């Protein structure tokens, strides 16, 4: 008698469970921990700010929908054994497209690329599926246990698709720092807005703008600005033109905080000067003006203006302003103001001795960075575009 059970031999249940587990866990973790702020920004843009994205609910719903899509594909194609993992390809591709949103001059999903790439990839996948279906009957007696060669082949396919999602999706670290910082600003959590990406040396004008705003909200702009990687230009301090922008945080809130919304596109320093002339500037605008001069490395203008907003020889003068004045007095033979700070003067002299002891520029920059990376002095001499 023949005791073979074709149905049992043809089963891919073990492979199906393993692949489904890998997909569901990866999709949820990918959406919840790494792409949640990007999806929140994307939904905000698509809905014109009318709806908000819940990280947990969004990750669960998207994962469930993609899983249901895979089960539908599986029921139609009936791929087995070595080819079962291929049924996850459309779901993986949609996951990649959904998390590929990014920004050039604005925030958008890259539909221009996907209009031809998406159907092309699906066509290639379908051709492969047709070929596989013609040969899969040859695999009838191949074992499909958890540690079988067939299972490992399917898991390898899942890994390759996961890598594909990571390659296609937006994984730019600075972009994700920005999206998370904006989420924190919307919640009024300025500490979190400053924490995200604080250990990274990467930045751009948009992230710098957000950090400046968070620092200003805490009254620390002149005290801690140069603790962060910066772009040496005042022209990206504010979203006054298309150079820098906010995706989720309302720009009007920032302008109300500074004093008034600009009526036309203008450079940040011109905007700040305009609201000062019209007596619309808030107290916070003063630090933006002074830090703008420091970012432009215009210590002469800074020295002329700082006395308008702060008593020069007061303990209330923020750290970076004191550092800038010490630098100014050491670099100018006829300073417009004379400033002395016993502690900082000693520190600056030590800096000069350290620089003099180094034999080349690379060594000099490295040693100065070790001891003075958070100072305006390091920014002034060693940070460039």
């Amino acid at each position: 008698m023949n005791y073979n059970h074709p149905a049992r031999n043809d089963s891919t249940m073990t492979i199906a469970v393993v692949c489904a587990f890998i997909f569901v866990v990866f999709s949820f973790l990918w959406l919840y921990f790494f792409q949640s702020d990007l999806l929140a920004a994307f939904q905000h843009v698509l809905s014109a700010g009318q709806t908000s994205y819940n990280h947990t609910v969004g990750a669960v719903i998207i994962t469930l929908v993609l899983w249901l899509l895979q089960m539908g594909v599986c029921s139609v194609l009936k791929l087995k054994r070595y080819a079962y993992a291929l049924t996850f390809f459309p779901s993986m591709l949609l996951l990649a497209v959904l998390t590929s949103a990014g920004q050039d001059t604005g925030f958008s999903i890259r539909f221009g690329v996907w209009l031809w790439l998406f159907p092309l990839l699906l066509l290639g996948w379908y051709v492969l599926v047709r070929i596989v279906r013609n040969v899969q009957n040859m695999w009838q007696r191949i074992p499909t246990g958890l540690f079988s060669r067939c299972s490992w082949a399917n898991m390898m396919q899942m890994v390759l698709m996961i890598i594909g999602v990571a390659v296609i999706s937006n994984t730019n670290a600075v972009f994700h720092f920005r999206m998370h910082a904006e989420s924190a600003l919307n919640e009024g959590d300025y500490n979190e807005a400053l924490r995200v990406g604080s250990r990274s040396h990467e930045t751009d004008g948009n992230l710098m703008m957000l950090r400046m705003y968070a620092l200003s909200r805490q009254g620390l702009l002149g005290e801690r600005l140069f603790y962060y990687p910066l772009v040496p230009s005042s022209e990206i301090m504010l979203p006054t033109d298309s150079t820098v922008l906010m995706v989720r945080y309302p720009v009007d809130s920032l302008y109300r905080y500074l004093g008034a919304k600009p009526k036309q596109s203008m450079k940040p320093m011109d905007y700040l000067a305009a609201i000062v002339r019209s007596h619309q500037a808030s107290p916070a605008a003063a630090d933006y003006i002074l830090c703008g001069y420091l970012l432009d490395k215009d210590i002469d203008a800074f020295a002329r203006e700082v006395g308008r907003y702060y008593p020069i020889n007061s303990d209330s003068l923020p750290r970076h302003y004191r550092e800038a004045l010490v630098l100014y007095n050491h670099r100018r033979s006829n300073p417009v103001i004379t400033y002395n700070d016993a502690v900082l003067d000693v520190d600056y002299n030590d800096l000069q001795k350290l620089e003099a002891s180094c034999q080349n520029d690379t060594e000099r920059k490295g040693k100065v960075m070790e001891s003075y990376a958070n100072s305006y002095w390091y920014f002034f001499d060693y940070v460039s575009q």
Side-chain angles (χ1 to χ4, degrees):
M1 298 180 63
N2 186 357
Y3 290 97
N4 289 330
H5 297 278
R8 184 180 301 170
N9 289 341
D10 196 45
S11 173
T12 57
M13 181 59 67
T14 301
I15 294 172
V17 170
V18 171
C19 289
F21 177 78
I22 293 173
F23 175 77
V24 170
V25 170
F26 166 72
S27 178
F28 179 81
L29 295 179
W30 183 251
L31 294 167
Y32 183 83
F33 288 105
F34 194 68
Q35 299 289 358
S36 58
D37 292 305
L38 180 148
L39 291 173
F42 190 44
Q43 179 169 320
H44 176 84
V45 171
L46 288 180
S47 67
Q50 298 302 307
T51 62
S52 58
Y53 177 82
N54 183 284
H55 295 185
T56 303
V57 174
V60 170
I61 291 176
I62 294 172
T63 298
L64 180 60
V65 169
L66 294 176
W67 189 18
L68 290 174
L69 172 63
Q70 180 273 330
M71 287 191 286
V73 171
C74 182
S75 65
V76 172
L77 298 181
K78 302 185 185 305
L79 294 177
K80 304 170 184 177
R81 290 179 164 78
Y82 283 116
Y84 181 80
L86 291 176
T87 61
F88 286 88
F89 182 84
S91 297
M92 286 287 198
L93 183 58
L94 283 173
L95 179 61
V97 173
L98 185 63
T99 54
S100 68
Q103 178 185 326
D104 297 313
T105 56
F107 185 90
S108 64
I109 199 163
R110 301 180 180 91
F111 284 120
V113 173
W114 289 114
L115 284 176
W116 62 268
L117 184 58
F118 186 82
L120 182 64
L121 290 172
L122 282 182
L123 178 61
W125 165 78
Y126 183 70
V127 170
L128 177 61
V129 166
R130 295 286 296 186
I131 295 173
V132 168
R133 289 188 65 183
N134 291 331
V135 300
Q136 69 177 358
N137 289 334
M138 299 170 58
W139 304 332
Q140 291 296 324
R141 297 184 178 279
I142 294 175
T144 58
L146 179 60
F147 299 105
S148 66
R149 182 181 301 176
C150 193
S151 291
W152 284 110
N154 278 276
M155 283 188 275
M156 181 59 67
Q157 292 173 59
M158 295 297 294
V159 169
L160 290 175
M161 285 186 281
I162 288 172
I163 293 173
V165 171
V167 170
I168 294 172
S169 298
N170 187 332
T171 55
N172 182 277
V174 174
F175 183 83
H176 283 274
F177 296 158
R178 287 175 46 208
M179 294 302 100
H180 188 77
E182 287 200 37
S183 296
L185 290 176
N186 275 318
E187 296 170 2
D189 191 347
Y190 304 118
N191 285 326
E192 179 63 15
L194 292 170
R195 182 202 64 78
V196 60
S198 59
R199 296 184 180 181
S200 172
H201 295 295
E202 297 181 87
T203 192
D204 65 6
N206 297 281
L207 182 58
M208 186 183 91
M209 172 189 64
L210 297 172
R211 285 172 170 164
M212 289 186 69
Y213 179 57
L215 285 168
S216 181
R217 281 289 192 175
Q218 293 185 316
L220 296 173
L221 189 55
E223 190 72 28
R224 297 184 62 86
L225 175 59
F226 295 95
Y227 281 56
Y228 299 89
L230 299 167
V231 179
S233 172
S234 66
E235 295 190 7
I236 49 180
M237 291 193 304
L238 298 170
T240 49
D241 56 32
S242 61
T243 305
V244 293
L245 56 91
M246 292 177 171
V247 176
R248 292 182 64 200
Y249 191 80
V251 175
D252 288 355
S253 295
L254 186 153
Y255 287 132
R256 284 196 299 270
Y257 172 69
L258 291 175
K261 184 177 180 179
K263 296 181 179 179
Q264 60 188 22
S265 177
M266 60 177 68
K267 294 181 179 181
M269 293 302 283
D270 294 336
Y271 158 74
L272 293 167
I275 61 174
V276 168
R277 287 194 302 270
S278 62
H279 304 289
Q280 295 177 293
S282 70
D287 283 318
Y288 268 88
I289 292 170
L290 295 176
C291 286
Y293 289 132
L294 296 185
L295 287 169
D296 290 334
K297 302 185 180 181
D298 189 351
I299 56 176
D300 295 290
F302 172 83
R304 290 194 303 269
E305 295 294 321
V306 65
R308 294 179 57 185
Y309 305 106
Y310 286 93
I312 299 301
N313 294 306
S314 169
D315 292 337
S316 65
L317 190 65
R319 175 182 178 84
H320 295 315
Y321 300 168
R322 289 184 280 123
E323 292 172 341
L325 287 175
V326 168
L327 176 69
Y328 171 75
N329 274 259
H330 278 80
R331 297 289 178 92
R332 300 294 183 263
S333 57
N334 295 302
V336 295
I337 59 172
T338 302
Y339 178 79
N340 293 294
D341 183 306
V343 175
L344 288 182
D345 279 330
V346 171
D347 284 345
Y348 189 77
N349 288 331
D350 290 340
L351 167 62
Q352 290 180 306
K353 292 177 183 177
L354 177 62
E355 290 177 320
S357 68
C358 298
Q359 300 298 317
N360 58 67
D361 293 340
T362 302
E363 179 189 8
R364 184 179 301 110
K365 182 178 181 179
K367 287 192 174 182
V368 171
M369 186 177 182
E370 288 179 7
S371 302
Y372 298 93
N374 296 332
S375 71
Y376 181 65
W377 303 330
Y378 176 81
F379 174 85
F380 187 85
D381 284 326
Y382 296 98
V383 176
S384 59
Q385 287 280 16

